């Protein structure tokens, strides 16, 4: 237990932890900050925690302002700049101390006092937003990393605040070192990989005569060796790039795409954590094919539900070993029952197959390996690595995949089918009368009658319901508070007559009168991927379980498959189906020679052909009508 806000203990030492506010989390690579306070004394811990609270308040305010302004440098580039600044200033100060002559206790205390005064000045600068004093060290860091940046850009102003916060850390370290206290400062001195300016980043010229870097450490007394600036100290060469740094660079480059951030960033970060935990954060030049194969062998042993529990603190090797042991125990027990004649050979084989633990699928394994390979590709393309990509050729090939998938069968997503949808729409959530406003009512119906992905339906705004060429449509476009999966996802989908009869247009008008932006304002984004569908899909899953409708492979997303199946059965051409569903058209004839595709009137006719056996009855009650025949094999 801690003894103040954000305080907790690890062993005898106090640590400080603060959660990053949700509205600035996208600017960080983690969800919380955690720092050792390097003391076991509660009163000292409270004082240091208060300082960190003030500094991080200022930092978060600066991030909010920067996000409002719009930045061109990536988060990884900014991190590299500030880490370089911190490392350089700390090491320059240590060089100054090493070269200084012996000093008296009074001179040592004066040096520590100057470090405290510097920290106080930096904190005042953060509080009052007067940050000119940090321009020297910041310009020096930008020059070392060859990132030209003019002082009047939003990126530079944002970096000024980060630099001030970083320099308060430098002052804290130097105060303790001036008192002769040396502890593990590796957190602050990890040398970042060079992060050159990426294409498309604003490139104003750094002044040729940049201001001299701030003297962060002051020696024993005024004199020739009393003050040493960061520019005066010669530092060792930057070590080779590691796996983690290559992933950071890849993530920073890809994060320019909002859709990639939404759909892929956390998955790539998960692969990064898994790889580093398995084989360590090795330099790229020391990573061999044998290391990659060892990683593949290890994750092949992981259970299918790996990573689903936030409370499991075991290492992946421990998880793999425990999973193997549990499966072996079950099989040993079955073999013993077979030997004793309790089981027949047929029963034994059936129970043995049922008793095997489901492991990661071949697709998941190959995705982790593909992301590993992409990190090397990024490093090669950006001149951080010149060797051969060791991940090439390690993926599971077709023979390996087939063999594994026989042991770990994949659960493919299937359409509900006519009878399945009729059973779903017969449940209580779809049987009310009058105005329908609940997302649980509308989103499955929109998926089945318009083919929208759950996220696309849940983020619909009032302005997305509009007439195009005389046809009421739903517009799927990116914008404030909205994203699309890919370029081909931009589209306008005619609204099915059943949706209109049930009151979808009236719902949009009601939300306008309520001064609401979204059709479903009560649905919150999930914390994991910051998507509306995160929590809602789970709610839908619970609902289908409660009403006895849940089945493997049938979920909310499956309604899109029903949309496609009904279009195909109605004779709608594949090109039109792809446009309506938001799929990329790679066919040369349809894609290049007919980029606009069918008219809105034609698309409206295609959508109106969809018949799931449901209609709008009196008082907008959803009614089931006779089936057109037995449900086909979907």
């Amino acid at each position: 237990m801690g003894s103040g806000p954000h305080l907790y203990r690890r062993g005898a030492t106090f640590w400080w932890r603060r959660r990053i506010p949700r509205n600035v989390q996208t600017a960080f690579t983690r969800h919380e900050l955690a720092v050792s306070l390097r003391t076991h004394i509660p009163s000292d811990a409270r004082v240091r925690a208060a300082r960190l609270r003030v500094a991080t308040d200022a930092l978060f305010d600066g991030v909010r302002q920067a996000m409002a302004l719009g930045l061109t440098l990536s988060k990884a580039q900014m991190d590299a700049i500030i880490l370089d600044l911190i490392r350089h200033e700390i090491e320059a100060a240590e060089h100054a101390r090493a070269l200084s002559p012996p000093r008296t206790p009074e001179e040592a205390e004066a040096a520590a006092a100057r470090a405290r005064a510097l920290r106080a000045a930096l904190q005042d600068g953060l509080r009052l937003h007067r940050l000119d004093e940090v321009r020297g060290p910041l310009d020096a860091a930008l020059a070392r990393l060859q990132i030209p940046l003019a002082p009047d850009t939003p990126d530079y102003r944002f970096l000024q605040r980060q630099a001030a916060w970083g320099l308060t850390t430098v002052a804290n370290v130097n105060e303790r070192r001036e008192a002769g206290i040396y502890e593990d400062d590796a957190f602050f001195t990890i040398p970042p990989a060079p992060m050159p300016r990426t294409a498309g980043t604003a490139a104003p010229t750094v002044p040729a005569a940049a201001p001299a870097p701030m003297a962060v450490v002051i020696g024993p007394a005024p004199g020739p060796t009393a003050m040493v600036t960061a520019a005066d100290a010669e530092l060792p060469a930057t070590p080779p790039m590691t796996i983690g740094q290559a992933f950071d660079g890849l993530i920073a480059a890809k994060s320019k795409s909002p859709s990639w951030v939404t759909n892929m960033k956390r998955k790539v970060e998960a692969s990064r954590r898994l790889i580093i935990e398995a084989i360590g954060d090795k330099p790229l030049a020391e990573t061999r094919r044998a290391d990659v194969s060892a990683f593949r062998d290890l994750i092949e042993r992981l259970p299918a539900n790996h990573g689903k529990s936030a409370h499991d603190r075991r290492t992946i090797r421990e998880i793999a070993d425990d999973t193997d042991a549990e499966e072996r125990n079950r099989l040993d027990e079955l073999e013993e029952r077979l030997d004793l004649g309790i089981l027949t050979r047929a029963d034994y084989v059936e129970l043995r197959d049922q008793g095997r633990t489901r492991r990661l699928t071949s697709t998941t394994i190959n995705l982790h390996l593909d992301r590993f390979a992409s990190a090397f590709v990024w490093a090669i393309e950006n001149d951080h690595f010149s060797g051969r990509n060791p991940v090439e050729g390690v993926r599971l090939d077709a023979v390996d995949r087939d063999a594994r998938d026989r042991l770990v069968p994949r659960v493919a997503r299937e359409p509900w089918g006519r009878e399945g949808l009729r059973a779903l729409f017969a449940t209580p959530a779809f049987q009310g009368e009058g105005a329908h406003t609940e997302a649980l009512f509308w989103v499955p119906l929109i998926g089945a009658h318009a083919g929208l992905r759950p996220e696309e339906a849940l983020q619909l705004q009032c302005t997305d319901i509009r007439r195009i060429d005389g046809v009421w449509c739903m517009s799927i476009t990116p914008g404030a508070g909205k994203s699309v999966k890919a370029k081909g996802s931009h589209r306008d989908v005619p609204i099915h007559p059943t949706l209109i009869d049930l009151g979808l247009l009236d719902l949009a008008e009601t939300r306008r009168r309520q001064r609401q932006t979204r059709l479903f304002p009560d649905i919150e984004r999930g914390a994991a991927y910051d998507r509306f569908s995160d929590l809602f899909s789970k709610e839908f899953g619970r609902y289908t379980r409660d009403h006895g409708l849940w089945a493997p492979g049938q979920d909310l997303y499956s309604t899109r498959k029903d949309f496609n199946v009904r279009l195909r059965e109605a004779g709608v051409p594949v090109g039109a189906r792809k446009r309506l569903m938001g799929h990329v058209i790679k066919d040369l004839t349809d894609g290049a020679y007919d980029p606009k595709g069918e008219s809105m009137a034609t698309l409206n006719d295609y959508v109106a052909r969809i018949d799931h056996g449901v209609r709008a009855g009196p008082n907008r009650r959803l009614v089931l009508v006779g089936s057109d025949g037995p449900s086909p094999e979907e």
Side-chain angles (χ1 to χ4, degrees):
M1 293 291 292
S3 57
H6 308 297
L7 288 175
Y8 69 105
R9 287 182 184 269
R10 285 189 185 176
T13 304
F14 278 98
W15 279 64
W16 179 88
R17 177 172 56 201
R18 184 176 183 185
R19 191 166 184 82
I20 297 171
R22 182 182 294 272
N23 60 356
V24 298
Q25 278 186 1
T26 55
F28 294 82
T29 57
R30 61 189 70 183
H31 292 296
E32 63 179 24
L33 303 174
V35 179
S36 171
L37 298 179
R38 299 173 180 175
T39 182
H40 63 281
I41 302 172
S43 58
D44 289 350
R46 285 193 292 270
V47 171
R48 295 174 190 179
R51 293 172 182 166
L52 283 170
R53 175 74 191 210
V54 171
T56 51
D57 279 345
L59 174 65
F60 295 149
D61 286 343
V63 173
R64 291 186 188 95
Q65 295 172 17
M67 291 174 69
L69 288 170
L71 302 172
T72 58
L73 288 179
S74 70
K75 177 67 173 63
Q77 286 175 306
M78 291 190 176
D79 285 349
I81 294 166
I82 300 305
L83 282 173
D84 179 271
L85 182 150
I86 293 172
R87 176 185 64 89
H88 203 94
E89 297 292 345
I90 288 177
E91 293 190 7
E94 193 60 21
H95 276 72
R97 276 187 289 270
L99 298 175
S100 297
R103 60 186 181 182
T104 65
E106 292 76 18
E107 291 172 332
E109 175 54 33
R114 286 192 287 271
R116 289 193 294 272
L118 176 59
R119 181 184 61 227
L122 289 165
Q123 290 175 339
D124 281 344
L126 282 166
R127 182 170 58 87
L128 302 175
H129 197 52
R130 295 173 181 171
L131 304 172
D132 288 343
E133 293 299 316
V134 305
R135 287 184 58 180
L138 177 57
D139 287 343
L142 291 169
R144 282 191 299 273
L145 296 177
Q146 300 179 10
I147 301 178
L149 201 62
D152 59 350
T153 61
D155 296 272
Y156 191 98
R157 294 197 295 273
F158 179 42
L159 281 170
Q160 274 188 290
R161 292 195 69 84
Q162 286 192 311
W165 179 67
L167 289 171
T168 61
T169 296
V170 174
N172 288 335
V173 172
N174 285 332
E175 179 189 0
R176 298 179 66 78
R177 290 188 176 186
E178 295 293 357
I181 301 172
Y182 280 72
E183 295 178 333
D184 182 11
D185 293 317
F187 175 82
F188 305 114
T189 58
I190 295 173
M195 297 292 293
R197 181 179 60 84
T198 57
T201 304
T205 305
V206 173
M214 179 188 297
V216 200
V217 173
I218 302 176
T225 62
M227 300 184 66
V228 178
T229 66
D232 297 326
E234 296 217 3
L235 299 178
T238 302
M241 177 169 280
T242 65
I243 293 171
Q245 290 170 333
F247 265 103
D248 291 342
L250 172 67
I251 292 169
K254 294 287 188 181
S255 292
K256 295 175 182 177
S257 165
S259 63
W260 188 91
V261 171
T262 300
N263 296 301
M264 291 300 302
K265 183 177 180 181
R266 288 184 180 273
K267 297 176 183 178
V268 175
E269 290 172 342
S271 295
R272 178 190 188 276
R273 289 192 299 270
L274 202 61
I275 292 163
I276 291 176
E277 184 179 349
I279 63 175
D281 194 9
K282 302 167 68 75
L284 299 183
E286 297 177 14
T287 305
R288 304 287 183 257
R289 186 186 177 103
D291 298 315
V292 182
S293 297
F295 167 69
R296 191 191 81 173
D297 293 344
L298 178 59
I299 64 174
E300 282 182 341
R301 298 165 53 206
L302 292 175
N305 63 354
H306 171 257
K308 300 295 177 64
S309 172
H311 305 292
D312 195 340
R313 296 290 184 250
R314 294 175 296 171
T315 66
I316 58 172
R317 199 169 299 279
E318 290 171 341
I319 293 172
D321 291 343
D322 291 347
T323 303
D324 289 345
E326 291 166 4
E327 182 180 279
R328 186 67 258 167
N329 289 340
R330 288 195 298 271
L331 298 182
D332 287 346
E333 182 182 346
L334 290 175
E335 289 177 3
E336 183 178 347
R337 294 170 65 190
L338 176 65
D339 293 340
L340 293 173
I342 300 173
L343 293 176
T344 66
R345 171 63 63 177
D347 289 340
Y348 164 75
V349 171
E350 182 178 351
L351 291 173
R352 180 197 63 190
D353 292 344
Q354 292 175 357
R356 293 191 185 279
T357 302
R358 290 190 66 247
R359 313 284 178 132
L360 295 184
T361 65
S362 59
T363 299
T364 301
I365 292 167
N366 278 346
L367 285 172
H368 285 304
L369 292 169
D370 290 343
R371 294 162 193 157
F372 199 178
S374 296
F376 272 93
V377 169
W378 178 88
I380 292 169
E381 291 176 348
N382 289 272
D383 298 326
H384 296 301
F385 178 68
S386 58
R388 180 182 176 184
N389 190 335
V391 190
E392 290 181 356
V394 184
R395 294 178 94 251
L396 296 172
D397 59 22
V399 175
D400 293 332
R401 291 198 304 273
D402 289 343
R404 184 173 185 82
D405 289 344
R406 283 195 292 271
L407 296 175
V408 189
R410 293 191 61 193
V411 179
R413 181 177 281 127
E414 298 288 343
W416 285 80
R418 283 192 180 88
E419 295 308 315
L421 284 178
R422 284 164 57 84
L424 173 64
F425 295 144
T427 57
F430 300 91
Q431 291 303 305
E433 295 186 357
H436 303 288
T437 60
E438 297 295 325
L440 187 57
F441 175 87
W442 283 111
V443 173
L445 284 166
I446 290 173
H449 290 87
L452 269 63
R453 299 175 177 90
E455 185 69 15
E456 293 171 342
L458 289 164
Q459 69 184 11
L460 279 173
Q461 298 180 356
C462 299
T463 54
D464 295 327
I465 307 299
R466 59 197 184 100
R467 276 186 185 272
I468 299 177
D469 297 335
V471 176
W472 280 107
C473 298
M474 288 178 273
S475 291
I476 313 304
T477 57
K482 301 189 299 179
S483 62
V484 294
K485 185 174 182 179
K487 182 179 179 180
S489 302
H490 300 206
R491 64 197 188 280
D492 297 305
V493 182
I495 301 177
H496 193 280
T498 297
L499 298 180
I500 293 177
D501 293 343
L502 287 170
L504 183 60
L505 303 184
D506 291 339
L507 174 64
E509 183 57 35
T510 298
R511 297 303 188 208
R512 290 189 188 96
R513 290 198 303 269
Q514 294 171 346
R515 297 189 177 180
Q516 297 281 358
T517 301
R518 294 171 41 231
L519 295 190
F520 309 112
D522 295 335
I523 301 301
E524 298 289 341
R525 294 183 184 271
Y529 291 96
D530 201 29
R531 295 186 299 209
F532 296 114
S533 55
D534 292 343
L535 300 178
F536 184 81
S537 295
K538 294 178 181 178
E539 178 187 348
F540 181 80
R542 288 191 295 269
Y543 180 83
T544 56
R545 282 182 171 86
D546 291 344
H547 291 83
L549 296 175
W550 184 89
Q554 284 187 343
D555 56 12
L556 182 60
Y557 206 96
S558 297
T559 58
R560 265 173 59 83
K561 291 208 167 190
D562 288 284
F563 176 76
N564 180 55
V565 169
R566 297 289 92 78
L567 288 176
R568 175 175 54 78
E569 292 176 345
V572 176
V574 65
R577 297 195 336 249
K578 287 185 175 182
R579 287 190 176 93
L580 287 168
M581 296 191 69
H583 288 161
V584 175
I585 298 179
K586 297 181 180 179
D587 179 77
L588 181 63
T589 304
D590 273 348
Y593 287 87
D594 187 19
K596 292 185 177 180
E598 296 77 5
S599 68
M600 191 55 64
T602 301
L603 292 177
N604 189 42
D605 173 64
Y606 289 158
V607 170
R609 297 180 191 179
I610 292 174
D611 184 2
H612 296 300
V614 294
R615 301 284 189 276
N619 200 20
R620 292 179 175 169
R621 182 180 182 87
L622 188 68
V623 297
L624 307 179
V625 297
S627 175
D628 293 334
S631 179
E633 292 294 324
E634 301 293 355

